[in-house]
Amino acid sequence: MAKKIILHSFLISLLHQISANVIRRDILSSSLEQSSESENTFNQSSVVQELPPTIFLDTNTIPSENILPESFSVEKAQLQTSMSEPVMTDTFTAPTQAELIMTNLVLPESLQPASSCNVANCLLPSCRCAGTDIPGGLSKVNTPQMILLTMDDGVTPEKYQLYSELLSGMTNFNGCPIKATFFVSGDNTDYSYVKKLQESGHEIADHSTTHKFPVEWWSKTAALEDLQMEILTQKNTIQQEIGTTTLGWRTPFLASQENTFKVLAENQFLYDSSLGTFPGTRWWPYTLDYLPSLPCYMTNCPKDAYPGVWEIPLVTLQCDESATSFASMLDECTNLETEESTYNMLMTNFRLHYEDSKQPFPMFGHSTWFDNAPYRKDAVKRFINDVRKFNDVYFVTAQQAIQWIKSPVSNDKMPFSCDR
């Protein structure tokens, strides 16, 4: 029986009591059973964590998507995805972290979902609604499984060495080199190594000039002119230093604001990759012409329309095989203490995408995840070696993924061949 919404007068105070590095859930859907150092701490400050189980949502008010608005807890509400596939969700709780910054936690402005994107008015190649449907109406068997490997922050000789050990000599099954995307910030960056990455075929994207603290500066304090300086100065620096025009952006700490998207739209950026999804929600990249039908999972989602600007979402990762912890980036899965557990986490999340609608699988992180944990590098290399043997799996850049979505090429037409 659907449960009534219960709102307590102390709702706001409860928000300020929640602190967590990862999102936890007691039980995951049976459909999932098949299977810079400071930034790691603060990325979740942009995520609206779930409240303790004091609010119940009438399931009749839930839009036809995967999971729920950020301020609701649900007891075994049966939902339907946009592909009409059932997903069981349960109560989310959050463990205490003494130092978590809570400045970005807010109540939703409305209990109603944002206006849904109308698929009749949002058509490829220029517009796409958020959802799980495969672009171009391709069958799953004829859809390539893209993997997006990205790394954030400055590029140093040490980091370049790590990236080379992970990627050099690696190819997709078709013999074409594996490609990744690097969101480069200006702090501590040696552009001679950024140039080496670019010459190897990897994409270079923008991650700000200074990557400055505090986190609130990005989400609240920075004026439009401040963000223009951070975004455009770095874009110009990349152009001058390595001779390429960057088209992608990821906000430091994932702490965007409305002005962030205004700068991107006004300066011909192709895409942003700073917004997360609810656990269990695996969307394909979409454009910001319209708001998704679900209320935003993070506090920094845009409210205005930015036609033609794509969003490559940080699809939430399941950090452990028991499906009790989740994270927006690899480094937030801190419970992986062996090569085997790290490999299993990667393979489990890959299969969730591969066995769903082949939404691009995000391997988003920072080099610091590998610091003092060499087994993680071994696990990632093992994972890459295993999945690259599939004849429908491709490690591609963010730009390549968007170009494919704009004009889908089926597996039988050999997408991502070296001469494309």
Side-chain angles (χ1 to χ4, degrees):
M1 179 180 295
K3 302 183 185 298
K4 296 181 179 179
I5 300 174
I6 302 174
L7 293 177
H8 294 280
S9 60
F10 55 89
L11 183 59
I12 296 178
S13 64
L14 282 176
L15 278 170
H16 296 283
Q17 297 174 23
I18 304 169
S19 58
N21 252 356
V22 294
I23 307 146
R24 296 190 175 274
R25 180 166 66 177
D26 294 330
I27 303 174
L28 190 67
S29 164
S30 60
S31 68
L32 303 187
E33 293 175 354
Q34 297 177 9
S35 312
S36 62
E37 300 179 9
S38 299
E39 182 162 5
N40 301 342
T41 302
F42 296 123
N43 274 345
Q44 290 76 24
S45 66
S46 298
V47 178
V48 177
Q49 308 289 354
E50 296 293 337
L51 294 179
T54 57
I55 300 176
F56 299 96
L57 180 67
D58 186 328
T59 55
N60 293 329
T61 67
I62 301 172
S64 178
E65 297 285 354
N66 302 51
I67 298 289
L68 305 173
E70 55 258 32
S71 292
F72 297 107
S73 296
V74 178
E75 287 188 339
K76 298 182 179 179
Q78 188 71 30
L79 306 181
Q80 297 293 323
T81 69
S82 60
M83 297 294 289
S84 299
E85 297 173 354
V87 175
M88 182 76 74
T89 61
D90 294 277
T91 302
F92 288 78
T93 60
T96 300
Q97 294 288 334
E99 302 300 325
L100 182 69
I101 292 180
M102 303 300 294
T103 54
N104 288 345
L105 290 177
V106 296
L107 283 167
E109 292 188 351
S110 171
L111 298 181
Q112 298 300 317
S115 298
S116 298
C117 179
N118 186 340
V119 294
N121 299 327
C122 184
L123 302 174
L124 293 175
S126 60
C127 183
R128 176 177 163 82
C129 298
T132 62
D133 57 298
I134 298 174
L138 294 181
S139 65
K140 186 166 74 171
V141 70
N142 221 3
T143 300
Q145 175 64 66
M146 293 177 280
I147 298 179
L148 304 180
L149 174 61
T150 77
M151 288 289 160
D152 292 6
D153 299 340
V155 178
T156 63
E158 295 76 18
K159 291 181 180 180
Y160 176 79
Q161 179 63 32
L162 168 66
Y163 302 149
S164 295
E165 292 174 5
L166 289 174
L167 301 173
S168 291
M170 291 289 194
T171 62
N172 293 313
F173 83 96
N174 61 1
C176 299
I178 280 176
K179 295 182 180 180
T181 300
F182 295 89
F183 290 90
V184 178
S185 56
D187 53 320
N188 301 316
T189 287
D190 185 329
Y191 286 95
S192 66
Y193 290 98
V194 179
K195 180 67 172 176
K196 289 178 181 289
L197 291 171
Q198 187 267 339
E199 289 174 341
S200 296
H202 304 300
E203 178 185 356
I204 307 303
D206 191 341
H207 195 45
S208 83
T209 298
T210 68
H211 206 297
K212 67 192 296 180
F213 281 89
V215 178
E216 301 92 340
W217 187 86
W218 297 93
S219 61
K220 295 182 179 181
T221 307
L224 177 65
E225 294 77 11
D226 297 323
L227 294 170
Q228 288 173 330
M229 186 281 294
E230 284 285 349
I231 297 171
L232 301 183
T233 300
Q234 181 63 358
K235 181 177 183 177
N236 291 335
T237 299
I238 292 171
Q239 174 69 50
Q240 293 169 5
E241 293 289 342
I242 68 173
T244 189
T245 300
T246 182
L247 298 177
W249 165 261
R250 179 171 288 155
T251 304
F253 316 110
L254 309 180
S256 306
Q257 56 165 282
E258 197 72 36
N259 281 334
T260 309
F261 298 96
K262 290 181 181 178
V263 175
L264 300 181
E266 292 171 357
N267 291 277
Q268 292 75 54
F269 275 79
L270 175 64
Y271 70 90
D272 169 72
S273 184
S274 307
L275 305 180
T277 68
F278 286 93
T281 303
R282 290 179 289 278
W283 281 338
W284 282 81
Y286 58 94
T287 62
L288 299 176
D289 295 65
Y290 300 91
L291 299 181
S293 56
L294 282 177
C296 189
Y297 177 57
M298 304 174 80
T299 65
N300 58 353
C301 296
K303 299 175 183 177
D304 297 332
Y306 300 97
V309 177
W310 287 78
E311 181 61 38
I312 298 180
L314 288 83
V315 176
T316 305
L317 297 169
Q318 178 181 310
C319 288
D320 58 358
E321 293 186 79
S322 60
T324 57
S325 63
F326 299 86
S328 58
M329 303 188 85
L330 292 172
D331 357 3
E332 296 159 19
C333 289
T334 57
N335 57 333
L336 306 173
E337 299 180 350
T338 66
E339 177 184 337
E340 194 66 20
S341 64
T342 305
Y343 173 85
N344 288 339
M345 180 276 293
L346 293 170
M347 188 59 75
T348 294
N349 284 280
F350 167 79
R351 285 173 174 162
L352 290 176
H353 290 253
Y354 191 75
E355 295 170 5
D356 189 3
S357 296
K358 287 189 171 177
Q359 302 92 328
F361 171 44
M363 295 177 65
F364 299 162
H366 303 76
S367 65
T368 50
W369 188 56
F370 299 92
D371 291 351
N372 304 314
Y375 62 85
R376 289 180 180 161
K377 180 178 68 176
D378 294 336
V380 170
K381 291 177 68 175
R382 177 181 162 195
F383 170 78
I384 293 174
N385 271 316
D386 283 352
V387 298
R388 72 191 184 99
K389 298 172 185 176
F390 290 43
N391 63 5
D392 58 352
V393 171
Y394 301 88
F395 285 82
V396 300
T397 68
Q399 283 192 50
Q400 284 181 303
I402 291 174
Q403 292 307 317
W404 185 91
I405 294 168
K406 285 183 172 184
S407 182
V409 177
S410 58
N411 284 329
D412 58 355
K413 300 291 180 59
M414 297 181 294
F416 308 114
S417 60
C418 304
D419 57 354
R420 283 189 181 272

